[in-house]
Amino acid sequence: MIETAYPPGARIEVRDAEWIVRTCAKFRHADGDSYRVTAVGASEFVRDEEAVFFTELDQISLLRPEDTILEQDDTPRFAKSRLFLEAVLRRTPLPQTEKGLALADRFLLDPLAYQQRPAVKALEALRPRILLADVVGLGKTLEIGLILAELIRRGRGERILVVTPQQVLEQFQRELWTRFAIPLVRLDSVGIERIQRDIPAGRNPFLYYKRVIVSIDTLKNEGKYGQHLEKMNWDAVVIDESHNLIGETSLRNKLARLLARQTDALLLASATPHNGNSESFAELIRMLDPAAIADSSTYQAKDIEHLYIRRTKTDSEVRNQIGTKWPDRGPSVPVRCAATPAEEKIFAELTSVWLAGEQRLGGPVVGTANRLFPYTLLKSFLSSHQALSKTVANRLRSAEEQREIDALKVLQQLTSRMTDGDSAKLAALVERLRDIGIGPRSRTRVVVFSESIETVNWLHTVLPRQLGLPVGAVDKLLGNGMSDQTQTDIIEGFGLSDSAVRVLVTTDVTSEGVNLHHQCNHLIHYDVPWSLIRIQQRNGRIDRYGQTRQPQFDALILTSEVEGAKDDRTVAEKLLAKEEAAHRSLGTVETVTGEYRPDREERRLEQDLLAGKTVEDSLDVRPLDDVLADLLGSVGVEQVDADPARADAPHLFNSTEAFVKESIDALRLLDDLEDDGEMLAFTPPTDLVRRLSALPADYLRMHGVRDRMKVTFDRKLAQRKLAEARDTKMMWPDIAYLSDLHPLVDWVTDKVLVQLGRQQAPVIEAAVDEPVFLIQGIYSNSLGQPTVVEWMAVDGEGVVPRPMPEVLGEAKVGPGMTNTLRAIDLAPLQARVGDVVAIARAHLEARRGEYDAKVVAPLNDYRDKLQTWEQLILDGLPVSGKDDKGKAVADTVERQRQLLDDMKTSGVPLLRVLAVLVPEQEAAR
């Protein structure tokens, strides 16, 4: 019969590896008691691996700190001991009570306080769950990277899932690697093919790869991934463009709700966070916190400000910090194009037949059910005759009324007679492109937007000839019909300075999330969407943080002399001016119409025009919902000048560079290392190469990373290499920046930790008056998250009233030490280990109370809030709905209460003897 349990936090040895217990459950059977132990790996080859052991099947040994064996360090300058202490400090997660930023200035990005504030907000919350709603271009990807980095430092970011639109997969993956050194496996079509080669058929890919980026459309394939996702728990889930999740019946929404239940941290991102419907937005917020909103129709911005953050470019902190990294945009210039005779005939037909409505002799061409179709025809024509031709042909296949069929055939004839030379917009576009500088010898780039696939295909065909450019100088990007890899290649190619592409013609598939500003600051609207939001989204592709030149915008405005014609001056030109005015005064346009979604904006505008209203009437009469309008201003962050708080993250070495370089040198980790003062180059060992397997195979192959790895701690060199990468066919730089999260730093840390034998602690000569024992003490909660972390120094009088890192500094433990290798009598020290551990345990137990006050207070606050929420929900339910709805509410409350219980400190402390400092003169005794 087994007599010893394995409490959470205890260190155990199983299968010749060290593990830390997370949970331990007892089972009774005929032969006695046995235990099911869930643990996480602590030693090198199993670190952070989750495992379940049964005492009936495995020999589980409880490692007691009292059994620590002391050994004398015989390395020069006590390198092994100093490196070991630094590695332990780095590897130990920060406690739950530490809310400051630990790594904010350790990455390849400008240290902007406004981009760091979301990380502070996420860490201050009970759980890191937040909706990042900054307007287009402020750098939400960077904000996400900073949050993930802080979670990783806290031991809460081992398993990460990032879900994005397909067209930004590689862009997002590259940003997290080049800026933060966080590698993600990309599961697009190429990545899925790779998985099929690398892992056994039927294996859960999310078990094989711990940090994954995948498109929402790929992930929602229930047949391929549903069964795997239902079995997975994550430390952090990121969902980009999260406004696409709204709608309870959609597969995307179902997927998001599943992920929300199975992750600790949840980061949602969207520049257009809601659709104007308070119930739909409440549904999104409940994914972050089920008890945030009691009544979906009545809530205030202050109710959710702990879950939500939004800034615009007009915010003072943003404007003060962006500087030259984001120049103010230029004006939106309407380029008027007088319609050609062939186009005027179509204007006349549309005006007199299709848009005349009841004034037309014989009544409207279309019935009431299709009353908006004439505006579909108009918008197609304002795009191009090619778009109109396609729209007419499609309609002819479904039209049933003869008068509509006859009218469509007239349009078809008029359109078929048009040639490229009859297009006023095409001529104006070619002239404008030449004025901008597009030509055979120019490196200038322009992106041209159109709503119509037909227009994009046509421009892609005719522009090279019109401009005297080779075919490859004009590229196109469509959503439908293009593979994910093709879309990625086109976007990446446009961002390379040595690419042959000069003009990118695209639909609105690229209007969300895609970066087009690296080589381009000119954008032309070939046709203007009848939506302020869509115009803003398009402009945001080049008007965004990191743009170093003034963004320039043009819009082609087709004009007509036909009396009563609704040309581009009727709608497009006015919307263009309205978007510009709103951008400059408000920083965003969503509140102007009160519709909050492009399709709803367009539909309402068409309905208003049909009713005889002007564009001005349509824009100005809609009353705003105060709550939803408030959410599109600055929300969730106080306007403060002070920098975000910094974490107390103890360290022994002055920098990561010093630690890594001394580790490599002292332990002889890299035989062929070249260090020119700026860059480190070496042949990576096999176990280090394995840690890079998440990165794109093309990147690893092109730069020969598996054969010769190049890294740097020099921020300026890394920034220069990142910029130079855009001059090549590979946007991933050949020299990687060594942030604290880089796999090389992680690999070095592991190599240091295994130098010391299991349950061994070094003895070091230092500037102390008596032996000082260095002890690490940790309490955790049931989720395995540290709640109490203490670094203790114990001398003859008890625990020194100063933290261990400070004691190390006073003892002059550093690179200037000299190891005389004189023999130290370890027996007296060894005899004291048990008593020292008891002193440290008592001190840690006393300190636990102080930590618990900080841990429990927010848990109790939320418990009270949960009770209030439950009562409000139940009070508002009709009698007929109390059974089913009441059960759902009770289930939610029970899950949240269980979570609160799990977040409290539990189990026994993890105590570890790290080292012993002895007086230098004592070594001679």
Side-chain angles (χ1 to χ4, degrees), residues 403-422:
R403 62 179 177 176
E404 181 181 354
I405 294 173
D406 292 341
L408 287 168
K409 287 183 176 179
V410 173
L411 274 181
Q412 189 178 50
Q413 290 174 356
L414 291 172
T415 305
S416 65
R417 293 171 188 161
M418 272 193 66
T419 66
D420 294 347
D422 293 320

Side-chain angles (χ1 to χ4, degrees), residues 201-214:
R203 175 84 180 270
N204 187 341
F206 304 116
L207 285 174
Y208 195 78
Y209 299 111
K210 292 187 175 182
R211 294 176 181 169
V212 172
I213 182 168
V214 63

Side-chain angles (χ1 to χ4, degrees), residues 341-619:
E343 290 172 324
E344 289 287 40
K345 292 179 180 179
I346 297 176
F347 267 123
E349 181 69 12
L350 289 171
T351 303
S352 62
V353 176
W354 290 92
L355 297 170
E358 297 294 341
Q359 283 71 44
R360 177 181 177 272
L361 184 63
V365 174
V366 295
T368 303
N370 298 308
R371 65 187 185 279
L372 294 180
F373 178 67
Y375 285 95
T376 301
L377 290 173
L378 174 63
K379 289 165 67 179
S380 295
F381 175 56
L382 293 175
S383 180
S384 72
H385 62 291
Q386 298 287 343
L388 178 60
S389 177
K390 182 68 172 179
T391 301
V392 169
N394 288 341
R395 185 66 177 180
L396 276 170
R397 286 194 288 269
S398 61
E400 297 178 353
E401 295 291 333
Q402 190 58 47
R403 62 179 177 176
E404 181 181 354
I405 294 173
D406 292 341
L408 287 168
K409 287 183 176 179
V410 173
L411 274 181
Q412 189 178 50
Q413 290 174 356
L414 291 172
T415 305
S416 65
R417 293 171 188 161
M418 272 193 66
T419 66
D420 294 347
D422 293 320
S423 173
K425 277 192 173 182
L426 176 60
L429 174 64
V430 171
E431 181 180 357
R432 184 68 189 117
L433 289 174
R434 286 174 175 159
D435 290 344
I436 290 173
I438 298 297
R441 296 179 183 83
S442 171
R443 298 178 65 84
T444 302
R445 306 282 177 88
V446 177
V447 57
V448 179
F449 271 98
S450 171
E451 289 192 292
S452 167
I453 292 176
E454 298 303 316
T455 300
V456 169
N457 284 330
W458 170 59
L459 291 176
H460 178 248
T461 301
V462 302
L463 281 179
R465 182 174 64 253
Q466 295 270 347
L467 294 166
L469 294 173
V471 173
V474 179
D475 209 345
K476 68 177 179 179
L477 182 59
L478 308 170
N480 298 330
M482 279 189 168
S483 70
D484 48 20
Q485 190 58 48
T486 299
Q487 292 183 54
T488 297
D489 291 344
I490 292 169
I491 294 169
E492 298 300 304
F494 189 68
L496 297 173
S497 66
D498 67 349
S499 167
V501 179
R502 293 295 172 264
V503 180
L504 176 63
V505 190
T506 180
T507 64
D508 288 315
V509 69
T510 60
S511 66
E512 290 186 351
V514 177
N515 292 336
L516 299 177
H517 67 291
H518 294 305
Q519 309 296 336
C520 176
N521 69 312
H522 290 277
L523 184 149
I524 297 177
H525 300 278
Y526 193 81
D527 49 51
V528 178
W530 287 12
S531 159
L532 297 174
I533 294 174
R534 187 68 75 201
I535 296 171
Q536 174 180 263
Q537 288 173 333
R538 284 184 178 184
N539 291 346
R541 298 314 98 215
I542 65 167
D543 182 22
R544 58 196 304 106
Y545 177 74
Q547 174 66 268
T548 58
R549 298 168 292 172
Q550 185 181 60
Q552 302 285 338
F553 305 100
D554 295 295
L556 302 182
I557 304 297
L558 186 62
T559 65
S560 173
E561 296 300 321
V562 173
E563 185 176 355
K566 288 181 169 56
D567 61 15
D568 275 324
R569 291 172 296 186
T570 307
V571 176
E573 191 171 88
K574 294 174 181 177
L575 290 180
L576 199 70
K578 191 71 173 181
E579 187 276 339
E580 181 178 355
H583 174 83
R584 296 193 185 283
S585 61
L586 304 174
T588 187
V589 301
E590 287 89 352
T591 58
V592 174
T593 65
E595 291 294 351
Y596 308 108
R597 279 291 176 267
D599 56 339
R600 289 170 53 176
E601 278 190 315
E602 293 185 31
R603 184 172 180 82
R604 198 191 86 199
L605 181 55
E606 290 172 3
Q607 291 172 333
D608 287 346
L609 292 173
L610 185 66
K613 295 182 180 180
T614 65
V615 172
E616 292 84 354
D617 294 335
S618 181
L619 293 179

Side-chain angles (χ1 to χ4, degrees), residues 690-715:
R690 282 198 299 270
R691 299 185 185 219
L692 303 175
S693 61
L695 299 172
D698 288 345
Y699 158 66
L700 297 174
R701 182 174 57 253
M702 177 169 284
H703 292 316
V705 175
R706 298 184 186 93
D707 299 319
R708 196 71 178 164
M709 194 170 174
K710 300 175 182 177
V711 295
T712 185
F713 287 102
D714 189 308
R715 189 185 299 267

